Amino acid sequence: MTTGTPTTAQTPPTSAVFSAAVTLTEAEAEHFDLAFTAVTQPCPWPKAYGGDLVAAAAAAAMRSVTDGKTLHSMHSYFMRPADIGAAVRYEVELLRDGRGYSTRQVRGYQNGKPVYVCLAGFAAGEPGGTFAAEFPAGVPGPGELPGAADYLGSRSGGTMTGESKAYWSAGRSFDMRHVPGPVYLTVDGEQVPHQAVWVKPFDALRSVEALTDEQRDLAALAYVCDYTILEPVLRVLGLPWAEPGLVTASLDHAMWFHRPPASGTVDDWLLYVQDAAAADGGRGLGIGRFFTRDGRHLATVVQEGMIRTVERNPS
């Protein structure tokens, strides 16, 4: 399998890192019914990116459902940090297949231990009432906002390194543009418990072996959601990513897919509207909703993460 490589200033940014993350290789099951492996992708922190695991597990679960049902929810726990650039074996248990709904358990194993576990639900779909959250009014369009590369530019500070700046700018497969402003080096904008992020792949998403384009797009939402879901919590606490002594980690994660994205939708800008729900005891809870540019509510995310800070010595 071809793995993604960090993007440099000389290499145009692409969405290839995501494609590599969800490209699975069939393997022999050791615990459950089916098994696949995927290699975790490069990132500038000590352990693999959590969204990498969620997206690969989503791909594994979707490959196990062959009767046309669509992924409608995932409920995940991150049990141990996963090594970067190493294979994770995703074992799929076929818990139930009914006429209307199916359920799968997926466990990710690395170094002989479970690092990730989720339950995934699939639905055939049926007629019913329709309701959707409203697209927020007054949000600046992505063309009015700087991307990470433009924003970071010559800026530096805190724990931000050249490697991490390059990754935030071009290594995540997606362009991200913040409202009211990023929280990379400082909390840019008001210290409030909400924000929005425009997201779009750097180029059109590639086909992924054994996934339909719709399944690939659902996996893309699962992949990109984890990058910023804790940011409204960081924002209200006044903590940028480059804050010395800040350590974060994903603890558990839930995601609901309300409507299938139309063809090409995920290749365009999506608005990821986010709120902080709580912060205490070294944990924070973020809530996010994905909208298309024309206001279609695609998915909802809830995630709790560890937010650990080390007080700096007084000057």
Side-chain angles (χ1 to χ4, degrees):
M1 188 185 87
T2 301
T3 59
T5 55
T7 304
T8 66
Q10 290 74 37
T11 305
T14 76
S15 60
V17 169
F18 158 72
S19 302
V22 294
T23 297
L24 308 181
T25 300
E26 293 186 26
E28 183 175 349
E30 298 180 10
H31 301 280
F32 298 127
D33 299 297
L34 300 170
F36 306 90
T37 61
V39 176
T40 53
Q41 298 302 294
C43 61
W45 41 80
K47 295 297 180 179
Y49 165 56
D52 194 323
L53 304 180
V54 178
M62 287 188 286
R63 285 182 59 167
S64 77
V65 177
T66 59
D67 59 1
K69 294 189 187 77
T70 300
L71 179 66
H72 76 83
S73 68
M74 294 183 70
H75 299 265
S76 307
Y77 279 88
F78 302 88
M79 302 178 68
R80 293 179 176 86
D83 294 335
I84 298 168
V88 176
R89 191 178 75 257
Y90 295 91
E91 297 244 0
V92 184
E93 183 178 13
L94 312 183
L95 289 176
R96 179 179 184 270
D97 281 305
R99 287 188 300 173
Y101 294 90
S102 293
T103 308
R104 301 290 187 261
Q105 179 184 190
V106 183
R107 286 191 189 179
Y109 293 87
Q110 193 180 74
N111 301 320
K113 296 180 179 180
V115 296
Y116 170 88
V117 62
C118 82
L119 289 175
F122 294 79
E126 56 190 285
T130 298
F131 172 79
E134 291 188 7
F135 189 91
V139 178
E144 304 174 51
L145 303 166
D150 293 330
Y151 179 85
L152 289 170
S154 60
R155 289 182 171 96
S156 62
T159 60
M160 184 71 69
T161 65
E163 181 188 8
S164 57
K165 184 186 291 190
Y167 183 77
W168 289 120
S169 297
R172 299 180 289 179
S173 287
F174 288 80
D175 191 353
M176 303 184 195
R177 304 187 179 191
H178 288 70
V179 181
V183 293
Y184 297 125
L185 302 171
T186 62
V187 174
D188 190 338
E190 295 181 88
Q191 192 173 318
V192 292
H194 52 80
Q195 66 172 29
V197 184
W198 287 102
V199 298
K200 179 184 179 183
F202 286 118
D203 57 7
L205 296 178
R206 293 150 177 77
S207 296
V208 175
E209 182 181 356
L211 295 183
T212 67
D213 287 353
E214 180 181 304
Q215 290 173 329
R216 175 207 60 200
D217 290 351
L218 295 178
L221 295 180
Y223 176 85
V224 75
C225 73
D226 189 30
Y227 277 119
T228 57
I229 188 60
L230 292 182
E231 286 189 349
V233 182
L234 297 181
R235 180 179 296 279
V236 75
L237 296 178
L239 297 171
W241 287 114
E243 177 76 10
L246 175 66
V247 180
T248 66
S250 301
L251 296 174
D252 57 283
H253 174 282
M255 190 168 190
W256 295 266
F257 303 90
H258 309 303
R259 296 166 181 84
S263 178
T265 295
V266 179
D267 286 331
D268 196 4
W269 289 106
L270 299 175
L271 185 66
Y272 192 15
V273 180
Q274 303 166 341
D275 295 278
D280 208 347
R283 303 185 309 278
L285 187 71
I287 301 173
R289 297 176 178 86
F290 281 102
F291 293 90
T292 62
R293 294 184 74 163
D294 59 2
R296 184 176 173 84
H297 181 197
L298 296 180
T300 299
V301 182
V302 179
Q303 181 166 300
E304 185 176 50
M306 181 190 77
I307 299 177
R308 178 180 295 160
T309 56
V310 177
E311 293 186 5
R312 287 172 287 180
N313 293 326
S315 55

